[in-house]
Amino acid sequence: MSTKVWSIDSIDSQQLNTALLAEPAQLLQQGRTIALPTETVYGLGADARNAEAVAAIFQAKGRPSDNPLIVHIADTQQLQSLVEPLSPLAVTLMDHFWPGPLTIVLPARPGAVAPQVTAGLSTVAVRMPQHPVALALIRAANCPVAAPSANRSGRPSPTTAAHVLEDLDGRIDGVVDGGACGIGVESTVVELVDGVVHILRPGGVTTEQLLEVVDEVIVADELVTLNNAPRSPGMKYTHYAPQGSMQLVQGAAEAVATFIQQCYVEAHAQGKKAAMLVFAEHAHLYRDYANDVHIIGRLDQLATATHHLYAALRTFDEQGVQLIWAETCPLEGLGHALMNRLRKAAGGNFMQV
Ligand code: TXA
Ligand code: MG
């Protein structure tokens, strides 16, 4: 299979050249797999109603079939065919956060999407992305678009079209290149239980933002199951793992820097390729080994860190880094999403100094 690339300048959504999207939109209608930019990460899209097209997504990614997909829509009219009548809470969330990085798990209309999209659950996860190219493509294809992140299963999510091609060139029908994704980590996935918002996966919409709109938000413990079923099946898989092994180190900045550099020096002495992932505010503490220090972003502006995270993990792989030590950040705002991804990348390997 050859993978076609369409480049589209999405800087000015008013002047989006939608003619360029006619071909990928038509391919989506024909049941092909097309990667597309969203404001979070690139997704690998296919017509959510077409079982063969959806199967091709799982095939291309090597994704376990019990991990359901998010369905992307361009306007709320598309919702009617997908889900049961909406609760007032669902409507409130949609009014405030759509289009945007919030995925809402809703009771599915039986038969509305191919069975593999929901992995046999009675619910379907839906989101309306905020990216002008994604919205225009979904509109042009005129179908609900099932789209997981466009990476090989277990690899960091792609935030550029080049990342998508690294993982999936020759395995999918095309990529719409709309430049780098702004947010850089995936959407927040919520489930609504008895009128309360439960966060199944922290992401681009923060708990604080949700609390401006609703009274209560519960952050689901990833290990707790509801009615003995995993609440977000994706949670049980190792995700976002770099090839090297990674450890998170938490504590006062100076103590963390001392510990990390001791580890680094030891690894180096053993001939291992090692790297450090640190925040800009602390970079001066690591200046002796600056060549192997990767600045993830600013602590006082965590959006810069989420934006760079996955690209950094991919760079470590490219450079053949075997050992990585990373600083941590407070669990505030985007810090929840960032730490969630770092913890997964580290496979839970965590050190307090
Ligand atoms: O930002 C995003 O959400 C990106 C872009 C492409 O939109 N998509 C994305 O998809 O991250 P994926 O497949 O990598 O993650 C989907 C997550 C998984 O953790 C999955 O288990 C969960 O959503 N999910 C999907 N359907 C669900 C459902 N019915 N109930 C609970 N969790 C569900
Ligand atoms: Mg993913």
Side-chain angles (χ1 to χ4, degrees), residues 246-265:
M246 181 160 161
Q247 181 172 51
L248 308 184
V249 186
Q250 182 170 289
E254 289 74 14
V256 169
T258 303
F259 177 83
I260 286 181
Q261 287 169 109
Q262 274 167 3
C263 296
Y264 168 83
V265 168

Side-chain angles (χ1 to χ4, degrees), residues 245-249 253 255-268 272-280 282-297 309 312-313 315-316 319 321-328 342:
S245 76
M246 181 160 161
Q247 181 172 51
L248 308 184
V249 186
V256 169
T258 303
F259 177 83
I260 286 181
Q261 287 169 109
Q262 274 167 3
C263 296
Y264 168 83
V265 168
E266 264 171 49
H268 206 70
K272 296 218 168 99
K273 182 138 183 68
M276 299 163 273
L277 189 59
V278 312
F279 289 95
H282 304 150
H284 65 282
L285 299 172
Y286 297 83
R287 60 181 169 260
D288 291 346
Y289 306 105
N291 278 346
D292 289 316
V293 171
H294 201 105
I295 295 171
I296 184 181
L309 173 70
L313 297 182
T315 305
F316 292 145
Q319 296 175 342
V321 174
Q322 294 161 291
L323 292 163
I324 305 153
W325 287 274
E327 291 189 333
T328 64
L342 282 172

